[in-house]
Amino acid sequence: MADAWLSDTRSSYDTDASGYADKVRGLLDEMPHLRASLAVFVEAVHECGGGPVADVGCGPGHVTDHLHEAGVDAFGIDLSPEMVALARRTYPHLRFDVGTMTDLDLAGGAVAGVLAFWSVIHVPDHALPGVFDEFHRVVRPGGPVLVGFHVGDGIRHTSEGYTGRPVNVDSHDRRPDAVAGLLRDAGFTIDAELILRPDEDVPGAVVFARRRR
């Protein structure tokens, strides 16, 4: 936790855990394309033989639960202890651990897939290749990885959370081809790229990848 961005991200989500949970509650119900992207990911997990799946940067656990309901053995990892505590209270039947995507507490090849649903947005450019290297280390050969993020070229700073309390966190907008290139460099093959809400000021994107065998 020596890097300031990690400490700031953790403390910001500790501060704003309840507000963020309220913000994303029901989000998947409102966005069929997001649900469809998760369905593709679930199918890819089953195709490669199934097994545990890490929802990295799981937040309040709603996506972890969605994967579970879809028949995937999903567990969540988040940097924020408060967010993990909230997820455990909301979904007591699921596993949630405190951890960082820069140094996952998982053995090599321990998971069948990795989901990073808008969680790498707080990772600065210099640290993102190391994060994707960690994804490659922990997912077994042929296993799928899904990365969701905001599309753009800049950095947006947030100083006030959804609860109105002060936070200190940056969000990095990136181009799909740049994210795909970093995944290739880390040892993944790209299956598809999906742009969401392209007419909005800040579109979203999902990149589907698999670890090379």
Side-chain angles (χ1 to χ4, degrees), residues 37-72:
S37 71
L38 292 172
V40 171
F41 176 74
V42 168
E43 182 177 344
V45 171
H46 290 318
E47 284 179 354
C48 75
V53 168
D55 179 7
V56 180
C58 65
H62 61 299
V63 179
T64 317
D65 183 63
H66 183 89
L67 294 176
H68 170 76
E69 291 297 320
V72 171

Side-chain angles (χ1 to χ4, degrees), residues 128-137 143 145 147 149 175-194 206-213:
L128 194 55
V131 166
F132 288 164
D133 285 343
E134 275 293 275
F135 291 178
H136 183 271
R137 182 184 66 81
V145 168
V147 181
F149 52 96
R175 298 291 171 180
D177 58 345
V179 173
L182 291 174
L183 285 165
R184 289 189 182 98
D185 290 344
F188 294 96
T189 297
I190 306 304
D191 286 344
E193 300 173 13
L194 172 66
V206 175
V207 173
F208 302 84
R210 293 177 187 264
R211 178 179 165 174
R212 296 186 195 117
R213 294 186 182 273

Side-chain angles (χ1 to χ4, degrees), residues 9-115:
T9 303
R10 179 182 61 180
S11 61
S12 294
Y13 277 94
D14 279 347
T15 296
D16 206 36
S18 62
Y20 181 80
D22 289 341
K23 176 69 175 179
V24 300
R25 184 175 294 114
L27 184 64
L28 289 177
D29 295 334
E30 302 167 4
M31 304 189 71
H33 296 93
L34 282 184
R35 298 197 305 273
S37 71
L38 292 172
V40 171
F41 176 74
V42 168
E43 182 177 344
V45 171
H46 290 318
E47 284 179 354
C48 75
V53 168
D55 179 7
V56 180
C58 65
H62 61 299
V63 179
T64 317
D65 183 63
H66 183 89
L67 294 176
H68 170 76
E69 291 297 320
V72 171
D73 180 17
F75 65 97
I77 301 170
D78 201 89
L79 184 65
S80 161
E82 288 297 324
M83 201 68 87
V84 167
L86 190 156
R88 287 172 176 168
R89 290 194 301 270
T90 308
Y91 308 104
H93 57 292
L94 297 178
R95 168 187 163 194
F96 296 97
D97 300 323
V98 177
T100 171
M101 65 181 70
T102 60
D103 186 17
L104 292 167
D105 187 18
L106 297 169
V111 297
V114 171
L115 178 75

